[in-house]
Amino acid sequence: MDRLCINGGVPLHGEIAISGAKNAALPILCASLLTAEPLHLDNVPDLKDIETALRLLEQHGVQTTREGKESLTLSAHSIESLEAPYDLVKTMRASILVLGPLLARFGQARVSLPGGCAIGQRPVDQHISGLKALGAEISVEHGYVIAQAKRLRGAVIRTDMVTVTGTENLMMAATLAEGTTVLENAAREPEVVDLAELLIKMGARISGHGSDRIVIEGVPALHGAEHAIMADRIEAGSFLCAVAVAGGDIRLTGAAPKTMGATLSKLSQAGVAIESGPDWISAQMRGRPNAVDVRTHEYPGFATDMQAQFMAVNTVAQGTAIVVETIFENRFMHVQELIRLGADIEIDGHTAVVRGVPQLSGATLMATDLRASASLVIAGLAASGQTVVERIYHLDRGYSRMEKKLRQLGANIERVTG
Ligand code: EPU
């Protein structure tokens, strides 16, 4: 198993390119199932989760052709299987995103329930009840969601909570339904907007994306399209947290600062000098960060996917920060590992109190989930001596060559294989 060895205390300098967003690319890849015509995608990030999604689509019969590192053509012309098997779904929960498209285009689907997850229960009940509202007959048998519908019918659906992939699944399904669907309490995340923009290019009639009320007028069929995946706001935010703890001067290209309001504002409060243009961000940091309180929230609030990385920033900050996680029940798995570096953190339920210390000291740590891994790498950049982060397959799921990009910025970080 690969691990990362980091010798901390080196300021970061230089420029790196931000990759396409994992959480936009995954639903967009699944949208290929909605049409018999090819989808051409650019800025697809080179990630383990993308590989898993492609394997899943290929076993459905989708032809995938790579054209260079970040471009792909997908053709769901001849679909062979309407089943998403447990072996793939259990490794990536986003596999549930094939349910809406398969059901809408082929009238049936059999998709494994994802099962447990390190950061919380993460049920998919809202996906299921939403599809039922669209007229599907759904049962859960032997661990599989079995869904059937001759043709879905538009409906008004109000999800019990804001769900990102739930909104995406229902939006995709509704594009081919008969009549109009209204998604109330919809997720406003930029990744939902990117998916809607692709679907519109495919001939879908969607309005209101980016607000909490999305209206979809069903059409009989969708067609092929070309689309470039939006920039990864979480990857960009993670590198900005890295410079917040290590100090230095970095520039991110291919970024989308307009999707990063909450993160950029917290980084400014932490003392990072930020400048940005339409597709770039520069950040300069001197000295220790200031402690910043963080409360996770749906977009446009502070993203839960940035909570762990900000926790790392707060461990070395001047002052005490309160970090509240409101989206997932169990997203503090990084805390015990940060404590092994000398961080002073106390957890009470969904709240963590982080008292900044002047210096962390390197240790061997174990990554537990994707964003937790990034937080440990960031903390390692601030720690004295060597930090070893084990189980970085979690990191590889969602960060494209993170250690290479950090090395490009001058960090002393190596991947050790085996
Ligand atoms: N929820 C339910 N029932 C549902 C759906 C959601 O109870 O049917 C609950 C969840 O358990 C959670 C809350 O609603 O407590 C929000 O979950 P949501 O459905 O929004 O999360 P998701 O769609 O499964 C996506 C991202 C996550 C990100 C969350 C929140 C993708 C592929 N994943 O997950 O990304 O944390 O939204 O923003 O888009 C990551 O990239 O590291 C990651 C975990």
Side-chain angles (χ1 to χ4, degrees):
M1 253 186 273
D2 291 6
R3 54 191 190 279
L4 290 178
C5 297
I6 306 161
N7 284 296
V10 183
L12 304 179
H13 293 283
E15 182 173 300
I16 51 169
I18 293 305
S19 298
K22 166 180 86 78
N23 290 347
L26 292 174
I28 284 175
L29 292 178
C30 295
S32 66
L33 291 166
L34 286 165
T35 174
E37 293 184 17
L39 265 196
H40 181 79
L41 302 175
D42 289 315
N43 208 29
V44 181
D46 183 14
L47 302 172
K48 197 82 195 143
D49 270 8
I50 298 297
E51 256 177 54
T52 308
L54 291 176
R55 263 201 293 149
L56 176 67
L57 292 172
E58 281 164 2
Q59 70 80 42
H60 285 304
V62 178
Q63 287 181 350
T64 65
T65 318
R66 280 207 179 263
E67 290 129 14
K69 237 186 190 160
E70 294 180 340
S71 298
L72 271 179
T73 299
L74 304 172
S75 170
H77 184 263
S78 23
I79 287 302
E80 292 154 10
S81 159
L82 299 175
E83 175 169 323
Y86 178 60
D87 278 355
L88 286 170
V89 178
K90 75 175 181 204
T91 62
M92 191 184 68
R93 307 182 60 78
S95 308
I96 193 73
L97 286 164
V98 300
L99 179 60
L102 286 175
L103 180 63
R105 180 160 158 229
F106 301 100
Q108 48 179 308
R110 191 166 184 272
V111 178
S112 171
L113 275 174
C117 175
I119 62 176
Q121 282 189 29
R122 303 184 76 183
V124 291
D125 57 302
Q126 300 298 306
H127 301 234
I128 293 174
S129 56
L131 291 172
K132 280 186 180 164
L134 293 175
E137 276 175 34
I138 301 192
S139 57
V140 177
E141 289 169 31
H142 308 296
Y144 279 75
V145 178
I146 299 169
Q148 271 186 317
K150 272 220 172 67
R151 186 172 176 200
L152 296 172
R153 287 185 317 270
V156 177
I157 302 170
R158 187 178 178 84
T159 45
D160 290 349
M161 77 289 294
V162 176
T163 155
V164 176
T165 49
T167 301
E168 292 165 345
N169 230 344
L170 297 174
M171 181 166 71
M172 287 193 280
T175 58
L176 293 178
E178 194 176 345
T180 303
T181 298
V182 181
L183 299 180
E184 293 183 342
N185 203 22
R188 290 179 283 171
E189 267 65 6
E191 293 77 10
V192 175
V193 174
D194 206 34
L195 172 65
E197 283 171 0
L198 164 83
L199 294 170
I200 290 167
K201 289 180 190 167
M202 293 169 71
R205 298 213 184 118
I206 301 177
S207 59
H209 43 295
S211 79
D212 62 0
R213 189 173 184 275
I214 303 179
V215 180
I216 306 121
E217 280 175 58
V219 294
L222 296 177
H223 52 71
E226 286 185 17
H227 189 73
I229 310 286
M230 64 173 279
D232 197 318
R233 61 195 171 105
I234 308 300
E235 186 199 22
S238 302
F239 283 109
L240 295 173
C241 286
V243 80
V245 299
D249 202 340
I250 67 170
R251 185 178 160 95
L252 309 178
T253 59
K258 72 169 194 293
T259 64
M260 296 176 60
T263 295
L264 296 181
S265 136
K266 288 289 172 190
L267 284 160
S268 300
Q269 285 172 38
V272 184
I274 305 244
E275 280 179 50
S276 63
D279 61 355
W280 59 269
I281 302 171
S282 72
Q284 206 182 58
M285 183 66 182
R286 305 271 172 270
R288 278 174 74 187
N290 310 315
V292 280
D293 292 342
V294 161
R295 185 184 184 86
T296 63
H297 201 275
E298 294 90 9
Y299 192 83
F302 183 88
T304 172
D305 289 347
M306 284 303 305
Q307 180 258 107
Q309 301 89 316
F310 258 81
M311 182 91 81
V313 174
N314 278 319
T315 60
V316 292
Q318 302 198 53
T320 297
I322 309 290
V323 176
V324 186
E325 172 58 55
T326 71
I327 309 288
F328 292 110
E329 314 90 83
N330 194 27
R331 216 176 192 179
F332 281 149
M333 305 270 280
H334 41 286
V335 167
Q336 288 312 317
E337 301 299 303
L338 292 171
I339 287 173
R340 300 196 66 252
L341 294 178
D344 180 351
I345 309 172
E346 225 175 291
I347 299 181
D348 184 5
H350 290 178
T351 302
V353 179
V354 191
R355 294 181 196 88
V357 297
Q359 180 72 63
L360 300 175
S361 69
T364 297
L365 309 174
M366 206 154 72
T368 48
D369 72 71
L370 170 56
R371 308 303 170 189
S373 317
S375 119
L376 302 184
V377 172
I378 292 164
L381 295 170
S384 64
Q386 191 175 66
T387 296
V388 179
V389 184
E390 296 189 334
R391 300 204 180 165
I392 53 159
Y393 52 85
H394 292 292
L395 192 75
D396 294 334
R397 290 185 56 181
Y399 288 88
S400 183
R401 302 178 303 275
M402 190 185 213
E403 80 280 6
K404 283 195 187 156
K405 290 187 183 183
L406 283 170
R407 256 208 318 276
Q408 213 174 313
L409 297 174
N412 185 336
I413 178 168
E414 289 292 337
R415 177 181 292 249
V416 178
T417 307

